[in-house]
Every structure is written in C-alpha cells, then in structure tokens.
Amino acid sequence: MSDLNTSGSSSTPSNSDEGLKTFWQHLDELRSVIIRVLIVLVVVTVLAFIFREALFSIVLAPSKGSFITYKWIDGLLSLANSLPLSGVQDSAENNTLFNLTLINTELAQQFIIHMKTAFCAGILLSLPYLLVEGYLYLSPALYARERRFAVPTVFGSYLMFMLGVVFCYFIIFPFTVRFLATYQVSADIPNTITLESYMQTFISMLLIMGIIFQMPVMSWLMAKLHILTSAPMRLFRRHVIVAILIAAAIITPTTDAFTLLIVSVPMWLLYELSILIVKHTNK
C-alpha cells in the first residue's frame, strides 16, 4: 500500500489544491481568465483602430516602390548588371517604378477592412499575454515533466510564428505582390487591384508562413514524445526539397529563379534545422 501511495504521489500534479477544487470553481477561474483576455484584446484592438495611419502605413508599405525590400532588390540587381543575364535591367526598372494603386469598390468596405485589420493586429500584439494567461491557468494541472515540455513548446511556437510573419512581410509578400500586380495576360487589360484583395492576400500569407515556421518546434515536440526520429527525415530529404520548391512556387507565383530561391532556401534551412533538433533530442 505504501508503494502504491509513493508511486501515486509522483504522478499527480504539483498543486495539491487542484484536487480540492470543484468543477464550478474551475469554471469560475476560467471565466476570470477569459474576461481578462477579452479586456486586453479589446483594448489593444481599439488602440490599433485609433492609430489607423500608423497601422496602414505598415500594412500598405509593400505596395510602394520605396519599400525597403525593393531597394534591397535594386541594389542586388545593380551588382548583377554587368553579368550576361537576360532581364536583369528590366527587373531593376520594374522594382524602381513599381507603385500599386489600390481601389475600393464597395461603400462600407474600407470601414470593414479597417476593423478586420485592427482586430488581427490586436490578436497579434496581445498574443503573448494570451499565452501567459493560458499557461498560468493550465500549469497547476500539469505534471512537472509536462510543464518542461509546455513552456518551450508554447513560447518557442510563438517566437517562430513571429519570425515567419516578419520573413513573409519583408521577403515573401513583397515578391508576390510585385509579381501579381504587374502580371498581365495582355497589354490591353490593365490591373485594377482592390483593397479587399490586397488585404486577404496579405493576412493569409502571413498566417501561412507563421504556420510553416512551426516546423522546428513541432519536430522537437514529436521527438520528445518519441513519435519522430531523424532517420526518416534524412531518408526523405530529396522528396521534401522537391515539395518545398513546389510550395515556394505556389506561394510566390513568379518565373524569377532568384525569387524562388529567396523563398525556398529558408524553408529548406528550417527542415535541416528540424533534423538537427530531432537528432539531438533523440540522444
């Protein structure tokens, strides 16, 4: 009986008061957490809504030829002007002259987009607080070993998500919007891009790249749970590289090989990093 009690004590949550709480006490505590989270989310969203000019100066910056990424591309292309590469000069000229003019076709669309953008910014900026509140609520019910997994998984996932968002904002989205905005099947058909189309592409691409950058964190977690090993990851490396090239071509539908490499190489490096993480974790 003493052995049973000893083994049972090692497999219970660290907070002994958890067993004394009733279902309604847990529910009341959850309600308090939800209220605090909603208050912070609403406050940050309202602030993002109020500072409209600052918010949309960031969101609409990739639609201007003066965006830092286009200047960086011009600098690289100017260095390559002396090389016998076709289309280099034309690409540099397109970057310099690129300036996307957005239009609005619906009466209330600008106000709706303003609210949606402010809400997305509120979620993104208040996400650290949401994660902290969620962890503080759930941590008393976790075992010590589970808490060691939860902390690096949650906050590592947030860090990698933000890195994916930043990478998409400065690299992937500018290449995509420049190509799609200047692509024409005929010179007689000019492009007229709506604000709604621009914002849908912007938000969806940020979300996609944020999810893709979860690869190292998810690989580490699956290795910790003994679900994943590095051997099959190395075995299917060639297949993954082909899949990455296909995904990069879909994300950035451009015929420029330079753009394809800019997008695919970081994704390949993420996969290689995941292999090293899984190998180290398995040891």
Side-chain angles (χ1 to χ4, degrees), residues 28-41:
D28 185 67
E29 185 178 351
L30 178 61
R31 183 187 62 179
S32 301
V33 171
I34 294 175
I35 291 175
R36 291 195 299 269
V37 165
L38 289 178
I39 290 175
V40 172
L41 179 60

Side-chain angles (χ1 to χ4, degrees), residues 83-117:
L83 300 177
L85 297 176
S86 60
V88 172
Q89 184 65 36
D90 295 337
S91 299
E93 184 179 355
N94 289 336
N95 287 332
T96 304
L97 300 178
F98 174 71
N99 191 13
L100 180 61
T101 301
L102 301 175
I103 66 169
N104 179 58
T105 59
E106 298 182 16
L107 182 62
Q109 193 63 44
Q110 291 201 48
F111 180 73
I112 294 174
I113 290 176
H114 185 192
M115 290 193 299
K116 289 181 179 179
T117 307

Side-chain angles (χ1 to χ4, degrees), residues 195-234:
L195 177 62
E196 181 182 8
S197 175
Y198 178 90
M199 291 303 303
Q200 286 181 350
T201 305
F202 180 76
I203 295 175
S204 61
M205 291 191 68
L206 291 183
L207 180 61
I208 290 173
M209 289 310 301
I211 294 175
I212 290 176
F213 269 64
Q214 303 298 310
M215 190 187 306
V217 178
M218 294 298 103
S219 299
W220 173 84
L221 180 60
M222 288 190 291
K224 279 289 187 182
L225 297 175
H226 304 288
I227 299 176
L228 183 64
T229 61
S230 60
M233 298 180 71
R234 293 194 301 268

